[in-house]
Amino acid sequence: MSSAASAAPAPLTGAKLAVTSIALALGTFMQVLDTTIANVSIPTIAGDLGASADQGTWVITSFAIANGIAVPLTGWLMGRYGAVKVFVASVLAFTAASLLCGLAWSLSGLVIFRILQGAVSGPLVPGSQALLLMIFPPQKRATALAIWSMTTLVAPIFGPILGGIISDNYHWAWIFLINVPVGLLCAFIVWRNLGDYETATRKLPIDKVGLVLLIVWVGALQLMLDTGKNDDWFSSNFIITLAIVSGIACAAWLVWEFTDKHPIVDVHLFAGRNFSLGTLAFCLGYALFFANIVILPLWLQTQEGYNATYAGLVAAPSGIVAVILTPLAARIMNRIDPRWSASFAFFMFAISFFMRANYTADASFYDFALPIAVQGVALSTYMVSMVTIAIQGLPPEKIPSASGIMNFARITGGGFAASLGVTLWDRREAFHQSRLAESSSMFDPAAREAMAILQNFGFTDTQAAGILVREMTAQAYLLASTEIFWASGWISLALIGLIWLSKRPVSQAPPIVVAD
């Protein structure tokens, strides 16, 4: 270590604790918000920069690839340079990159700045989690995780809403420029209040082989996930090549990291049962959550006539309920076995998905929003429980590495779920549409009656047939959506069993070791 380790200073209290917690939460909020805020604005951005919508998707893909590579490196960076220094440097670099994105003069320039933004933002989410655990007393760990989880789960819900409002009413550059004052304030508060909380450092050698292999397999994987749908997945030689490269590089990376004395990512953490099971359940649960928050707005916009802003507002009750209930849930979770609160979260997820499985084509805004509000109840206990189970028994110096790995699993699981979920949705729609078409020929009495009714309203044969096809497509997407909701509900219930394979965590945590 660069200096002798000593006992941690007393946890923060009062206004200083509150202000520092908000600042750390803002760091998480900025990063997670930027993963979704640009999604609904791609057509506007691409059009303004003279590019096609397909080219504009590189604004999302470039950030995802760079961020996916950077997140697992958090543990090594914080072990080498200290948690506070790395977090503050990451916030400042992210703020500068956001400014450059807002000032971008071309699509290629914006993509380059988004790569920079994704790369430097890697430590933000796991870093804020590690620092929050550091400044709260061990018995208040659930409260610290509740603050972190609120921002991590609420940001992707409000991202599309904010992005839609900005792109509809202001210049798209403000999607990125709003980070500048927030980032500067966050860095100032954290640096000022946590100067005495810097973690111990070690002169760790750079695992160059592990780093290169990580860049190759994560980069190929993220590129495959983000471009697979447009290239029809494994019908494309490019996607097949990416899958092979990612698989081989990942296998080589795992072998190297398990045998190297100073791995770039501490994969030995998976030797712990709670960490392995907690990370797996965390990844799968977030994948279900993320896939459904992608599919529902897409369905509402393409088939139900909602614009981007109102489709985002349907998801708003989830975030509002989670923000209200999470502080209350944290007080309870400080005193109970987190496996019970995790089970409750997955049960409420299942209830929410089963309610969505009863959607109809003429459902109202209230009908769509009510199950999403129920999902907010699940979110209030989900992430806190998962992290509590996973980090149980880990020494303080392993927390940044564990947080980096868990957040990498969350990001990767969300990427898989979004790509594969939308593909499955489209293919199930095609299946149902073909079945509906088979039973809706012009020789079918019901179809002929519908044609006659439309013709009585003055529509031509071609127009009437087009209306029927449009309705058939809408019904097919409805069936595809409800199938995914049903499957998500049953998977949520199955994950309860996975939770109870873990050991019961104890309520106390060891003190954080800091540098002198």
Side-chain angles (χ1 to χ4, degrees), residues 153-466:
L153 291 171
V154 169
I157 294 172
F158 286 111
I161 301 174
L162 185 57
I165 292 173
I166 291 175
S167 60
D168 288 344
N169 300 282
Y170 307 97
H171 193 273
W172 60 264
W174 285 104
I175 289 173
F176 305 108
L177 295 178
I178 58 174
N179 290 329
V180 175
V182 176
L184 293 175
L185 179 63
C186 171
F188 173 76
I189 293 174
V190 173
W191 185 254
R192 180 182 178 88
N193 290 351
L194 296 186
D196 295 333
Y197 283 75
E198 185 60 274
T199 54
T201 60
R202 294 177 294 164
K203 293 184 178 179
L204 299 171
I206 298 176
D207 176 14
K208 297 178 181 178
V209 174
L211 179 59
V212 171
L213 289 173
L214 177 70
I215 292 173
V216 171
W217 84 262
V218 174
L221 176 64
Q222 289 288 348
L223 187 58
M224 181 188 77
L225 292 176
D226 283 5
T227 60
K229 182 178 181 296
N230 291 336
D231 291 347
D232 197 22
W233 290 102
F234 294 104
S235 298
S236 165
N237 290 331
F238 178 63
I239 297 300
I240 293 174
T241 301
L242 288 176
I244 294 173
V245 169
S246 180
I248 294 175
C250 180
W253 177 77
L254 286 172
V255 172
W256 180 268
E257 295 297 278
F258 270 114
T259 56
D260 190 68
K261 292 182 179 179
H262 302 285
I264 197 76
V265 178
D266 191 1
V267 293
H268 295 89
L269 290 169
F270 285 103
R273 187 168 81 181
N274 272 30
F275 183 77
S276 297
L277 292 173
T279 301
L280 178 60
F282 183 50
C283 174
L284 294 177
Y286 187 82
L288 287 176
F289 162 73
F290 198 75
N292 282 278
I293 68 170
V294 169
I295 289 173
L296 181 59
L298 189 59
W299 176 41
L300 292 176
Q301 291 180 73
T302 59
Q303 304 301 320
E304 297 296 317
Y306 283 63
N307 60 24
T309 301
Y310 279 96
L313 288 174
V314 169
S318 177
I320 294 171
V321 172
V323 168
I324 294 173
L325 293 183
T326 297
L328 302 176
R331 294 186 177 185
I332 299 174
M333 286 187 285
N334 278 319
R335 299 189 294 269
I336 66 171
D337 185 340
R339 293 177 298 178
W340 283 110
S341 55
S343 299
F344 173 77
F346 282 120
F347 178 76
M348 294 308 296
F349 271 130
I351 295 297
S352 173
F353 291 136
F354 288 145
M355 291 174 68
R356 278 177 259 186
N358 292 312
Y359 282 155
T360 60
D362 58 350
S364 65
F365 182 94
Y366 173 81
D367 295 327
F368 286 123
L370 181 59
I372 306 302
V374 175
Q375 176 180 265
V377 179
L379 295 179
S380 67
T381 63
Y382 160 68
M383 192 167 284
V384 178
S385 304
M386 293 295 95
V387 176
T388 301
I389 291 171
I391 66 176
Q392 165 60 28
L394 295 181
E397 64 273 12
K398 296 289 187 180
I399 296 296
S401 292
S403 181
I405 292 173
M406 290 188 69
N407 281 283
F408 172 71
R410 175 182 62 83
I411 293 170
T412 304
F416 265 107
S419 296
L420 300 182
V422 173
T423 299
L424 176 63
W425 184 60
D426 283 335
R427 292 185 176 180
R428 292 304 298 173
E429 181 277 332
F431 169 79
H432 287 299
Q433 187 173 357
S434 66
R435 288 298 180 91
L436 290 171
E438 290 173 0
S439 59
S440 303
S441 70
M442 295 312 300
F443 298 101
D444 179 62
R448 294 181 66 178
E449 181 181 357
M451 285 286 290
I453 292 173
L454 291 171
Q455 288 167 350
N456 289 336
F457 279 100
F459 292 103
T460 65
D461 289 349
T462 302
Q463 290 172 330

